[in-house]
Amino acid sequence: TQLLEQSPQFLSIQEGENLTVYCNSSSVFSSLQWYRQEPGEGPVLLVTVVTGGEVKKLKRLTFQFGDARKDSSLHITAAQPGDTGLYLCAGRRTSNTGKLIFGQGTTLQVKP
Amino acid sequence: GAGVSQSPRYKVAKRGQDVALRCDPISGHVSLFWYQQALGQGPEFLTYFQNEAQLDKSGLPSDRFFAERPEGSVSTLKIQRTQQEDSAVYLCASSREGGPTEAFFGQGTRLTVV
């Protein structure tokens, strides 16, 4: 059973479209992170959200942590081919651990 | 080095062979993590070191998997008597301190068991 469920698992869109990726759980997390992973590389951290209801923006990317700290979303505005990659959410169950629990990932393809 | 370095990048092993995967963390980083990533999936936690102490090995799938970090720097993940289901990318990550500080990942070792 996956503790963190990501949806959709695959997304293929045209350049310029908007998209949202969801990361859901029945468990509470002390923090959630979003990573982007390119083929043959390790995940690279995009953002960490800690407070319930928190919203963070990184250029065209908007991240939100659910009020109950059980879910998160990643919204990309006007997607570009350079956004193509595997997007992973990952959570920490407690505030004093470095151990990450990952979702299964969302593969995004942005076609020019 | 500037980042986490893993070697080899690719390893093909015959079923039943023993393999050793190496991780060089960022210099001075206290915490070191190993994750296993199956094709098309997210990474799954294997084990965690703080300096030379292995504080959590709850994710190791069987007693064929063994990890060490004897001097609190370089770590080795060893898999004995490899099986086809061990085929995956093995990722190493390090962070500056214990606890929830940012973890930096290496490029991984892709293990294929034939």
Side-chain angles (χ1 to χ4, degrees), chain A residues 9 20-21 23-24 37 39 50 54 65 67-68 92 94-96 98 100 106 110-111:
Chain A
Q9 290 194 351
T20 302
V21 177
C23 177
N24 295 304
Q37 185 177 21
V50 178
E54 183 176 5
F65 201 10
D67 290 342
R92 292 193 167 105
T94 62
S95 59
N96 62 353
L100 290 167
T106 295
V110 182
K111 293 179 280 189

Side-chain angles (χ1 to χ4, degrees), chain A residues 2 4-11 37-41 43 85-89 102-108, chain B residues 36-44 87-91 110:
Chain A
Q2 197 79 26
L4 277 171
E5 295 281 348
Q6 279 188 244
S7 62
Q9 290 194 351
F10 302 97
L11 196 52
Q37 185 177 21
E38 307 233 18
E41 301 292 329
L86 177 68
Y87 288 83
L88 296 158
C89 67
F102 282 87
Q104 70 267 59
T106 295
T107 299
L108 171 64
Chain B
Q36 180 190 59
Q37 186 173 25
L39 189 64
Q41 299 295 316
E44 291 196 7
S87 296
V89 174
Y90 291 85
L91 293 165
R110 179 176 293 279

Side-chain angles (χ1 to χ4, degrees), chain A residues 35 37 40-43 45 86 88 92 95-100 102-104, chain B residues 9 33 35 37 40-43 45 56 58 91 99-102 105-107:
Chain A
Y35 289 81
Q37 185 177 21
E41 301 292 329
L45 180 65
L86 177 68
L88 296 158
R92 292 193 167 105
S95 59
N96 62 353
T97 182
K99 172 182 174 180
L100 290 167
F102 282 87
Q104 70 267 59
Chain B
R9 289 292 313 277
F33 304 84
Y35 291 86
Q37 186 173 25
Q41 299 295 316
F45 172 81
D56 187 344
S58 61
L91 293 165
T101 51
E102 181 179 356
F105 283 82
Q107 294 175 300

Side-chain angles (χ1 to χ4, degrees), chain A residues 6-69:
Chain A
Q6 279 188 244
S7 62
Q9 290 194 351
F10 302 97
L11 196 52
S12 181
I13 61 172
Q14 292 294 134
E15 182 176 1
E17 292 183 8
N18 301 332
L19 67 115
T20 302
V21 177
Y22 299 94
C23 177
N24 295 304
S25 178
S26 58
S27 301
V28 174
F29 287 87
S30 68
S31 65
L32 264 175
Q33 299 184 325
W34 285 91
Y35 289 81
R36 181 163 165 253
Q37 185 177 21
E38 307 233 18
E41 301 292 329
V44 175
L45 180 65
L46 297 173
V47 78
T48 300
V49 284
V50 178
T51 306
E54 183 176 5
V55 177
K56 283 192 174 179
K57 293 192 175 184
L58 185 66
K59 296 183 181 178
R60 294 175 293 100
L61 278 60
T62 301
F63 306 86
Q64 184 163 10
F65 201 10
D67 290 342
R69 291 187 288 124

Side-chain angles (χ1 to χ4, degrees), chain B residues 20-101:
Chain B
L21 312 180
R22 178 187 170 106
C23 173
D24 281 86
I26 294 173
S27 178
H29 276 199
V30 167
S31 295
L32 186 145
F33 304 84
W34 283 98
Y35 291 86
Q36 180 190 59
Q37 186 173 25
L39 189 64
Q41 299 295 316
E44 291 196 7
F45 172 81
L46 293 176
T47 188
Y48 160 56
F49 290 86
Q50 189 164 320
N51 295 307
E52 69 277 5
Q54 189 174 20
L55 298 187
D56 187 344
K57 54 181 181 179
S58 61
L60 295 177
S62 77
D63 58 8
R64 296 186 296 104
F65 286 70
F66 172 76
E68 60 183 4
R69 194 186 185 199
E71 296 178 1
S73 178
V74 171
S75 177
T76 304
L77 176 66
K78 297 179 179 178
I79 309 174
Q80 297 177 322
R81 304 181 302 282
T82 53
Q83 300 177 6
Q84 282 193 314
E85 61 261 31
D86 300 335
S87 296
V89 174
Y90 291 85
L91 293 165
C92 176
S94 71
S95 62
R96 187 166 37 87
E97 301 169 352
T101 51

